[in-house]
Amino acid sequence: MTARRTPWPGDPADDESTTPVPEPDPGADASALRARLAEAVDASDAPDVVFAVSRHGLRTLHRGGTAPPPAVPREDLRYEIGSASKTFTGLLLTRLIRDGVLTGGEPAAGCLDPGRPPGPAPVTLAHLITHTSGLPALPADFVRRALPAWRTNPYARYPAARLTETFLRHRPRHRPGTRWHYSNYGVSVLGHAVAAVTGTAWEDLLTGHVLRPLGLGGTALRAEDAKTDATGHGKDGRTPVPPFDAGGFQAAGAVRSTPHDLLTFLEAHLDPAGSPAAGALRSVRVPVLRRGLGHRHVHTVAWFRHPTDGGPMYFHSGATLGQQAFLGFRPDTGTALAAVCTRRFRARDPFIATAYALLAQDEAPA
C-alpha cells in the first residue's frame, strides 16, 4: 500500500485555514445530549464507563457501568488510554519541530547511536510518527519474550534497552516513506530517539512540553494510586487485571488520564488561541499522509481524519489489556468527545463504534 506525503508540520504553509465555528443555540435542549450519552454508557457494557462531551467549551458528562460505583467518582479516576497516547506523542514531536529543537528528518538510528552512518534510506523521526518506517507492528521477538505474562502485562517484559537494540539491528522490508503500516514499535522507537537526541527523559519531555502547558495535572505515564487509577477488567467484565505497564513502549501507549483532562486536551485542539502550544495544536490538524485507493484515507501527525458533511473530524482510539478509550473532535461543530471504559476489547465490542458514531452523527450534540 503506497502512501503520499503532504507538507510536514513546520513547513512554511502548514497551518490549516480556520472555518468560523457556529455559535451554540442558547435555547438548545441539552436533555437530548444527556440521553444520547446515557445510551452510549449503557451500550458499552463495561464495569466503569464515562462519556464526556464538550461543545464550545460547555461540558456534559455521563458515567455508569455494570460494577458498583467506586469510592472515587468515575469521572475523577485516571484511565489507561492505550494507543490514543500517540496523540500526545504527535503533539510533543510537532512542538519540538516548531520550536526548532528538531526537524523531523533526523535519522532515528543516529539519534540512538551517535556517529552511526545514516545510510542511503534512513528511518527518520517523521517516518516513525506517521507509521511509514517499514517497521512491523511489534518487534519480531516480542511474542516470545512476552508470552509468560501474556494475560497480565506482556509489554512490561520488553524493556527500552531491548526495544532500541532490536531497532538498531532491524532492516526494513520496504523503503521508509513508501508504505503505511500501523506500528506501536515505530512510535516507541521515536520516543527513545527523541529522548536520546535531546538528552531528556521521555516523561520529562511530555510533562514539560504538553502536560504542564495544557494544565493536564490529572495525566501521567504510570499508575500511582489504587484509589484514583481505574481498575481494568478482562473480556468477561468481571476479572480485574493489573495496571498496564508499557515497558519500552511508553511513547506508543503509556498515558493514563481523567475524562476532564482528556476534554481539556481536546478543547485545546479546537481552540488553540492563547495556548503556549498554539502553533503545534494547529499543525497536528494538517494532513501529512494520504493512502489507500484514491488516497481516501487521510492522516495527520497525531490523528486519523475522516470527512463529515460539515468538515473533517479527528479521532484516535486505544486499548490496553483491561481498558479502552476514544478521543475525537470536530472543528465544524466545536465538539470534543472523550470516552473511557474498564473492559478489555472483545469481538464485536460496541464501545469504540458507539463513541465514533456519537461524534460523527450528522447533527452534532447540542
Side-chain angles (χ1 to χ4, degrees):
M1 180 178 293
T2 59
R4 180 167 69 86
R5 183 193 180 282
T6 54
W8 179 256
D11 290 353
D14 66 352
D15 282 348
E16 185 182 61
S17 60
T18 302
T19 301
V21 176
E23 290 298 319
D25 178 2
D29 185 5
S31 64
L33 172 57
R34 290 193 292 269
R36 289 196 290 271
L37 294 183
E39 290 172 0
V41 167
D42 291 342
S44 298
D45 188 25
D48 307 288
V49 189
V50 180
F51 272 74
V53 167
S54 170
R55 192 177 189 207
H56 301 286
L58 179 63
R59 296 183 176 186
T60 304
L61 180 148
H62 191 83
R63 79 273 194 184
T66 58
V72 175
R74 287 180 169 110
E75 67 269 28
D76 295 329
L77 295 174
R78 291 192 308 177
Y79 296 83
E80 299 163 1
I81 68 169
S83 282
S85 302
K86 296 178 179 68
T87 61
F88 288 76
T89 296
L91 180 61
L92 169 58
L93 178 61
T94 303
R95 187 161 193 213
L96 292 175
I97 291 171
R98 292 190 66 97
D99 289 348
V101 178
L102 299 169
T103 67
E106 292 84 356
C111 295
L112 294 166
D113 183 15
R116 172 187 286 245
V123 172
T124 68
L125 302 184
H127 293 139
L128 293 168
I129 194 62
T130 57
H131 304 286
T132 58
S133 65
L135 292 174
L138 293 167
D141 64 343
F142 178 83
V143 172
R144 176 176 57 82
R145 296 181 66 88
L147 200 57
W150 196 254
R151 295 184 180 276
T152 53
N153 246 324
Y155 285 86
R157 294 182 60 84
Y158 211 96
R162 178 70 185 179
L163 188 141
T164 55
E165 176 185 309
T166 303
F167 168 71
L168 291 172
R169 295 200 310 266
H170 181 81
R171 295 296 177 265
R173 294 177 57 189
H174 307 290
R175 183 182 178 88
T178 61
R179 300 196 180 196
W180 186 92
H181 184 74
Y182 189 86
S183 178
N184 282 321
Y185 183 15
V187 177
S188 302
V189 170
L190 166 72
H192 297 300
V194 171
V197 77
T198 60
T200 308
W202 180 254
E203 185 169 4
D204 294 337
L205 283 169
L206 192 67
T207 299
H209 292 277
V210 176
L211 305 187
R212 190 177 298 124
L214 297 185
L216 306 180
T219 303
L221 295 183
R222 61 180 59 82
E224 296 177 350
D225 188 339
K227 295 179 181 178
T228 55
D229 285 295
T231 300
H233 297 79
K235 292 182 180 181
D236 61 8
R238 297 184 299 274
T239 306
V241 299
F244 179 62
D245 183 339
F249 293 80
Q250 275 196 328
V255 171
R256 55 175 59 232
S257 187
T258 66
H260 285 295
D261 259 23
L262 294 174
L263 279 187
T264 299
F265 178 68
L266 295 169
E267 288 167 344
H269 286 75
L270 285 172
D271 185 13
S275 169
L281 287 163
R282 294 188 181 98
S283 289
V284 295
R285 285 166 41 169
V286 178
V288 298
L289 179 70
R290 301 176 191 271
R291 65 180 177 89
L293 184 63
H295 291 131
R296 66 176 183 234
H297 297 292
V298 180
H299 302 266
T300 78
V301 172
W303 300 93
F304 294 88
R305 183 181 188 264
H306 282 182
T308 71
D309 289 343
M313 62 176 269
Y314 303 81
F315 66 95
H316 208 302
S317 61
T320 62
L321 270 69
Q323 301 189 40
Q324 299 178 64
F326 178 93
L327 306 182
F329 63 97
R330 286 183 58 172
D332 64 314
T333 61
T335 302
L337 169 68
V340 291
C341 79
T342 58
R343 182 172 185 167
R344 184 174 181 172
F345 178 84
R346 70 267 194 209
R348 296 181 295 278
D349 192 293
F351 174 74
I352 298 298
T354 299
Y356 180 96
L358 188 61
L359 183 65
Q361 61 188 324
D362 290 338
E363 290 188 7

